[in-house]
């Protein structure tokens, strides 16, 4: 697991003002379903804990730093009838929506743990940590 930490600029100040938390959740669920379809792993687990927090868990390959950038996904483009997303904007849009509504998100991956926060631009990395 990558033990280095840093910030990555998602540049998500005014994205999709009309979206609410349900729209963000829909995008995360779509990503989990796509990973299930692409990796033939078990279906995503969606649950709410006793504190009212929602958890969306897939059993795929895990998020990496570069999944937070917008880019067409060749794997998804090759299987358009199998997946929901293709362009790499759903995760970023979901995080922006949750942030705008004051919802804290923590993403646990076998590669790293990701959180959103506001920070001055000068604190951001411009390339992946290695």
């Amino acid at each position: 697991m990558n033990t280095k930490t840093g910030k990555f600029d998602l540049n998500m100040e005014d994205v999709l003002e009309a979206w609410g938390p349900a729209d963000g959740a829909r995008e995360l669920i779509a990503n989990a379903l796509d990973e299930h379809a692409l990796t033939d792993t078990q279906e995503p687990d969606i649950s709410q804990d006793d504190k009212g927090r929602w958890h969306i868990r897939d059993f795929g390959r895990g998020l990496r730093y570069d999944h937070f950038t917008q880019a067409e996904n060749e794997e998804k483009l090759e299987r358009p009838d199998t997946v929901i997303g293709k362009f790499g904007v759903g995760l970023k849009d979901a995080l922006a929506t949750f942030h705008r509504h004051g919802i804290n998100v923590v993403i646990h991956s076998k590669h790293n743990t990701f959180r959103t926060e506001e920070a001055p631009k000068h604190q951001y990395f411009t390339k992946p940590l290695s």
Side-chain angles (χ1 to χ4, degrees), residues 7-79:
K7 293 182 171 75
F8 176 71
D9 186 359
L10 291 178
N11 195 26
M12 56 186 199
E13 295 165 356
D14 293 315
V15 178
L16 302 170
E17 291 96 12
W19 275 26
D23 299 296
R26 178 194 65 227
E27 292 300 317
L28 296 184
I29 292 167
N31 284 350
L33 289 169
D34 283 353
E35 188 64 11
H36 161 65
L38 292 170
T39 61
D40 197 29
T41 51
Q42 75 183 69
E43 290 185 8
D45 179 39
I46 302 166
S47 61
Q48 189 175 28
D49 67 22
D50 58 355
K51 294 182 180 179
R53 296 176 299 203
W54 284 96
H55 302 267
I56 302 167
R57 180 179 183 196
D58 70 55
F59 300 89
R61 298 166 284 191
L63 283 172
R64 295 181 182 273
Y65 179 92
D66 57 332
H67 292 139
F68 293 94
T69 60
Q70 181 178 343
E72 287 185 327
N73 183 315
E74 289 297 323
E75 183 179 32
K76 289 182 176 185
L77 290 172
E78 292 171 1
R79 298 176 66 185

Side-chain angles (χ1 to χ4, degrees), residues 81-127:
D81 296 337
T82 305
V83 296
I84 301 165
K86 295 172 186 60
F87 304 108
V89 295
L91 176 61
K92 185 175 174 178
D93 290 346
L95 294 175
T97 298
F98 292 136
H99 179 75
R100 190 173 50 257
H101 288 275
I103 298 169
N104 294 320
V105 176
V106 179
I107 300 172
H108 297 286
S109 168
K110 63 183 174 184
H111 305 292
N112 214 327
T113 296
F114 303 95
R115 293 176 171 81
T116 56
E117 68 176 62
E118 287 189 41
K121 289 257 186 204
H122 71 274
Q123 292 183 4
Y124 294 123
F125 291 101
T126 57
K127 61 183 180 179

